Amino acid sequence: MPNELEQQVKPILLYNDECAVCRRIGAWVQKSARNKLGEDTLIVRPIGADPADLRSLNPKLDIWDAYDTIHILMINGTMKTGGEAVAETLRRIPCCSWFSWSFAVSVGGHRPFQFLLSQAYAILSAIRPLFGCESCGIQGGYLKHVVSLLTRPSNRQGFTAKKHRTGLISHRPK
Amino acid sequence: MITYEAENNGDAAAESTGGDIIQTADSSSFATIVLDSSGAIAVEFMSYGCVHCRTLEPVLQQAAVILQAKEKIVRVNTALEADLTDRYDIVGTPTFIMFLNGLEVGRADGPAPRLENILKIITQPYESLRHYAK
């Protein structure tokens, strides 16, 4: 484990590595969150599967909550979640600094750009399984199956879920 | 028989414990905790990243409190325990396997996250065995 994690000298962005969308975004953030000196401006790490490991980062951090919404752990011991975490992440990515200031703009006590960002995150979070999520058991390209079903009625009888690469398929509650 | 009073007691007890009362088994401890144990043990194969498991979790905590005198509930994290997942042919989470004296006696996958339903799927295999044993 890197020293940065132990000393918490940089914010830690947690991402769901069982979700294809989150994994790709996490990889992009990791690549982009470097300043001109080549130093990482935040630590990007998967949530993992160990509740105790997460609590060692922040005693208030619950693994179920971590998987439910994006979390960024600040160096002062606080946590930001959801749209606030996305804004904090964007502030720390040099190529996004030209617009990320806008999330702090307040108009009449409201932050319109932060509101829009939070709504956008909520929508992406809700539909991300459609783009591939191992934890939800939905394969990448799931939308292709949906389109196929809608456009080729003869396939409906033959459609069965296939095991994805980790061998797990979650069932929706009956 | 599950009574309304028992459900209320479960709510209160779950709140009073305020934490996780379900033991987690891994591949090294599974034999000791489940297979070599006598009595009824329900194993939930789950993943922390699974939204259905998350929905089920508070209900399962209540069920664990209600059933703790008769049946034990144990959790296996499929993200970490690929061997156990393969060995028991788990194709989705959450999946429950009910063991009695180390032998599988029942299985349920993707149960609806309602307390009465969880209590039913966990207790039904044992109730059936008791019925036939009479």
Side-chain angles (χ1 to χ4, degrees), chain A residues 6 9 13 34 37 47 65 94 102 112 115 118 121 137 152 173:
Chain A
E6 293 165 6
V9 293
L13 175 69
R34 289 203 178 99
L37 299 173
I47 298 166
D65 294 338
S102 65
F115 174 78
S118 297
Y121 169 75
R152 296 164 62 186

Side-chain angles (χ1 to χ4, degrees), chain B residues 75-94:
Chain B
R75 172 192 296 130
V76 170
N77 188 343
T78 56
L80 294 178
E81 309 303 334
D83 288 347
L84 289 173
T85 304
D86 288 343
R87 190 192 307 169
Y88 289 99
D89 197 24
I90 305 299
V91 294
T93 55

Side-chain angles (χ1 to χ4, degrees), chain A residues 63-164:
Chain A
I63 192 167
W64 294 106
D65 294 338
Y67 273 106
D68 188 45
T69 187
I70 184 174
H71 279 61
I72 187 165
L73 313 181
M74 307 302 290
I75 54 175
N76 62 4
T78 60
M79 290 188 288
K80 292 186 177 182
T81 61
E84 294 287 348
V86 177
E88 186 62 41
T89 303
L90 293 175
R91 279 187 207 106
R92 292 175 183 277
I93 297 176
C95 67
C96 299
S97 58
W98 64 273
F99 69 88
S100 56
W101 59 268
S102 65
F103 303 127
V105 171
S106 178
V107 180
H110 298 282
R111 292 184 296 157
F113 297 108
Q114 179 62 58
F115 174 78
L116 289 174
L117 181 67
S118 297
Q119 295 303 308
Y121 169 75
I123 292 169
L124 178 64
S125 179
I127 65 170
R128 64 190 163 137
L130 295 178
F131 300 102
C133 177
E134 282 83 12
S135 60
C136 293
I138 298 171
Q139 303 171 75
Y142 178 72
L143 286 175
K144 284 193 290 190
H145 288 291
V146 175
V147 173
S148 172
L149 282 172
L150 292 175
T151 55
R152 296 164 62 186
S154 59
N155 281 352
R156 286 179 193 169
Q157 295 289 331
F159 178 76
T160 53
K162 296 174 185 172
K163 283 188 180 184
H164 58 73

Side-chain angles (χ1 to χ4, degrees), chain A residues 18 49 51 63-65 67-68 135-136 163 167-174, chain B residues 46-50 52-54 57 77-78 80 90-93 109-110 112:
Chain A
E18 296 177 20
I63 192 167
W64 294 106
D65 294 338
Y67 273 106
D68 188 45
S135 60
C136 293
K163 283 188 180 184
L168 286 173
I169 302 171
S170 289
H171 300 275
R172 291 186 180 281
K174 290 168 185 170
Chain B
M46 50 73 71
S47 162
Y48 286 107
C50 165
H52 309 306
C53 301
R54 177 183 168 80
E57 179 64 14
N77 188 343
T78 56
L80 294 178
I90 305 299
V91 294
T93 55
D109 55 8

Side-chain angles (χ1 to χ4, degrees), chain B residues 33-78:
Chain B
I33 295 172
V34 179
L35 300 180
D36 298 340
S37 296
S38 59
I41 298 176
V43 180
E44 181 205 18
F45 288 83
M46 50 73 71
S47 162
Y48 286 107
C50 165
V51 68
H52 309 306
C53 301
R54 177 183 168 80
T55 308
L56 187 64
E57 179 64 14
V59 178
L60 198 60
Q61 294 286 341
Q62 291 179 37
V65 173
I66 293 170
L67 297 172
Q68 62 186 347
K70 290 194 296 184
E71 285 108 19
K72 186 177 174 183
I73 299 178
V74 173
R75 172 192 296 130
V76 170
N77 188 343
T78 56

Side-chain angles (χ1 to χ4, degrees), chain B:
Chain B
M1 178 66 75
I2 300 152
T3 64
Y4 180 70
E5 185 183 359
E7 290 181 18
N8 282 344
N9 288 341
D11 287 342
E15 284 172 14
S16 66
T17 55
D20 189 359
I21 64 162
I22 299 173
Q23 187 177 6
T24 299
D26 58 22
S27 53
S28 61
S29 63
F30 189 81
T32 311
I33 295 172
V34 179
L35 300 180
D36 298 340
S37 296
S38 59
I41 298 176
V43 180
E44 181 205 18
F45 288 83
M46 50 73 71
S47 162
Y48 286 107
C50 165
V51 68
H52 309 306
C53 301
R54 177 183 168 80
T55 308
L56 187 64
E57 179 64 14
V59 178
L60 198 60
Q61 294 286 341
Q62 291 179 37
V65 173
I66 293 170
L67 297 172
Q68 62 186 347
K70 290 194 296 184
E71 285 108 19
K72 186 177 174 183
I73 299 178
V74 173
R75 172 192 296 130
V76 170
N77 188 343
T78 56
L80 294 178
E81 309 303 334
D83 288 347
L84 289 173
T85 304
D86 288 343
R87 190 192 307 169
Y88 289 99
D89 197 24
I90 305 299
V91 294
T93 55
T95 293
F96 285 85
I97 300 182
M98 274 56 75
F99 290 88
L100 183 63
N101 300 330
L103 296 174
E104 180 178 338
V105 294
R107 182 181 283 240
D109 55 8
R114 293 191 304 273
L115 183 59
E116 64 272 22
N117 185 53
I118 296 301
L119 292 172
K120 185 180 173 186
I121 63 145
I122 290 175
T123 57
Q124 200 167 41
Y126 308 121
E127 297 290 341
S128 301
L129 286 172
R130 285 184 198 115
H131 175 74
Y132 285 113
K134 284 179 182 174

